[in-house]
Amino acid sequence: MARSMHVRRPATLASLAAELGVSRTTVSNAYNRPDQLSPELRRRVLETARRLGYPGPDPVARSLRTRKAGAVGLLLTENLSYAFRDPAAIGFLEGLALACEDAGQGLLLVPANPEREDVAAVHRAGVDGFVVYSVPDDDPHLAAVLERPVPTVVCDQPKIENVDLVGIDDRAAVAELADHLIRLGHRRIGVVCMRLARDRNDGFVTPDRQRKAHFHVQRARLAALAESFGAVGVDWARVPVVERFDHNIACGASAAGQVLDRDPEITALICTSDILALGALQEAARRGLRVPQDLTVTGFDGIPEAERAGLTTVRQPVLEKGRAAGKLLLDIAEHNRPRSVTLGTELVPGTTSAAPRTAEERWFGP
């Protein structure tokens, strides 16, 4: 004999209000504006809600009503795992998260594969604004962000008219590093750089590709090196520059190998990131080259791993970059012109740089 089953309907805001004998606004305030209720009333509302199985206000309905998502979107044109693997990205993400916490906002990661042009993730993102982290000026995901009617802050690159920007003076920072190497006596150098454009290139870079790079941070760093070393007679067109599309230690090691194969007599290898420089140190050790006696190696970023390795580098405030970008985006004050925040950097002369050995020292040295 079949038994009738009575299924209890889930409680709603209206039924909960009726059970408590209060208004719907009172129930809503218990979740969204607790400061409007006494602690005792709020406790009674929440306890009754748990007893009746009321799950709380529908966040989708709330966002439709208020036209606010309560979250910041972070666009990075990398796979999602990059945000948790790259030390500089981790520091930036922490700073941005701290700014969001202070403002009571959520954070939504909007990763975009650098080799694809599918911008659906940008269009789907339910956010109140975007922080764009270091993308090329021709990136389709960036274009999709700028089409959204929400505020946007760019960190590092690119520089866009009428869009807020947080970054550092890359050209000045690298010029200081170059001057350090020049004072040590280095003239025969090689360079390992991060990707310059959206097309994959894992090899040597012509001066023309350097000048036309769509990642303006890398373009500025290479231009600063060319200008500084050109001022002391180095023909930049003869300097081996190797690009890597992916950013990891293995790529730094293989790129350093390409440079050293092209010119085994270079005295300094300049890398545009610490990650690439750590790979270069591995390659130098594999070849039996002593650092810095046989080869000077430098990086850029100042990540903890570089500090532990004693790397000569430029330290930039990655955590403060994230915090500043978040604060700029979440600042509700009216502003009629784009804002720009330029943070300072610091040259860190570590143990991986020294004066180049003379020809005699190379021949008779140990």
Side-chain angles (χ1 to χ4, degrees):
M1 181 176 178
R3 291 188 302 172
S4 63
M5 297 291 292
H6 176 71
V7 180
R8 179 177 175 179
R9 297 177 62 183
T12 64
L13 185 145
S15 65
L16 178 59
E19 173 79 12
L20 289 162
V22 299
S23 69
R24 297 184 185 187
T25 300
T26 296
V27 174
S28 177
N29 284 343
Y31 291 90
N32 300 318
R33 303 179 66 189
D35 58 303
Q36 300 296 306
L37 305 181
S38 69
E40 173 58 28
L41 178 55
R42 182 169 187 260
R43 182 191 61 77
R44 189 159 64 91
V45 170
L46 297 179
E47 285 184 353
T48 304
R50 282 193 292 270
R51 178 170 57 82
L52 298 181
Y54 176 62
D58 183 350
V60 175
R62 181 175 182 274
S63 67
L64 290 173
R65 184 174 65 255
T66 63
R67 304 187 72 84
K68 292 290 184 182
V72 169
L74 171 61
L75 176 74
L76 64 160
T77 51
E78 300 288 347
N79 293 317
L80 182 60
S81 60
Y82 184 86
F84 304 96
R85 185 179 67 248
D86 182 83
I90 291 171
F92 175 84
L93 186 61
E94 180 182 358
L96 179 57
L98 289 171
C100 290
E101 287 175 5
D102 291 343
Q105 294 290 302
L107 179 60
L108 175 67
L109 299 186
V110 187
N113 189 305
E115 297 183 277
R116 297 178 185 171
E117 296 194 3
D118 181 6
V119 298
V122 173
H123 293 309
R124 288 195 305 264
V127 296
D128 299 318
F130 282 95
V131 172
V132 177
Y133 180 53
S134 195
V135 306
D137 54 26
D138 63 343
D139 191 273
H141 306 91
L142 171 63
V145 164
L146 297 177
E147 290 172 356
R148 295 278 302 267
V150 294
T152 298
V153 174
V154 171
C155 182
D156 286 340
Q157 56 190 341
K159 295 179 180 178
I160 306 171
E161 187 176 359
N162 297 323
V163 175
D164 294 340
L165 177 70
V166 175
I168 62 174
D169 188 337
D170 286 277
R171 191 158 190 147
V174 171
E176 186 178 9
L177 174 65
D179 289 344
H180 169 68
L181 297 177
I182 289 168
R183 286 194 300 271
L184 288 174
H186 293 282
R187 300 295 185 272
R188 198 158 180 175
I189 64 170
V191 179
V192 173
C193 70
M194 295 172 66
R195 76 172 73 124
L196 301 179
R198 290 194 295 131
D199 63 302
R200 180 176 286 274
N201 176 55
D202 291 314
F204 289 97
V205 183
T206 65
D208 184 62
R209 182 175 174 86
Q210 296 174 44
R211 288 190 295 268
K212 295 178 179 178
H214 287 282
F215 284 91
H216 89 245
V217 165
Q218 296 300 305
R219 186 171 69 235
R221 293 179 188 179
L222 292 172
L225 290 173
E227 182 177 347
S228 295
F229 281 96
V232 293
V234 175
D235 181 0
W236 189 253
R238 299 176 64 86
V239 173
V241 179
V242 169
E243 175 185 358
R244 279 296 181 268
F245 188 85
D246 294 321
H247 187 231
N248 54 53
I249 290 177
C251 285
S254 63
Q258 278 190 278
V259 172
L260 291 167
D261 286 343
R262 172 69 63 88
D263 185 0
E265 297 303 313
I266 66 167
T267 63
L269 186 57
I270 305 168
C271 303
T272 63
S273 80
D274 286 347
I275 289 292
L276 295 177
L278 292 172
L281 290 175
Q282 288 187 0
E283 178 63 15
R286 190 186 72 81
R287 291 173 178 247
L289 296 174
R290 297 174 301 170
V291 176
Q293 295 94 329
D294 300 322
L295 180 69
T296 281
V297 177
T298 68
F300 196 106
D301 283 331
I303 63 175
E305 292 86 342
E307 182 177 353
R308 289 193 290 270
L311 185 67
T312 294
T313 188
V314 173
R315 181 183 295 130
Q316 61 168 320
V318 290
L319 187 145
E320 187 53 38
K321 269 188 183 181
R323 191 193 294 269
K327 286 183 176 179
L328 212 57
L329 184 72
L330 297 166
D331 180 8
I332 61 174
E334 293 291 332
H335 60 281
N336 298 320
R337 57 184 180 180
R339 299 163 294 177
S340 179
V341 176
T342 302
L343 302 172
T345 59
E346 177 189 3
L347 175 65
V348 182
T351 59
T352 64
S353 60
R357 296 176 64 176
T358 65
E360 289 75 15
E361 287 174 326
R362 286 181 180 276
W363 180 257
F364 294 108

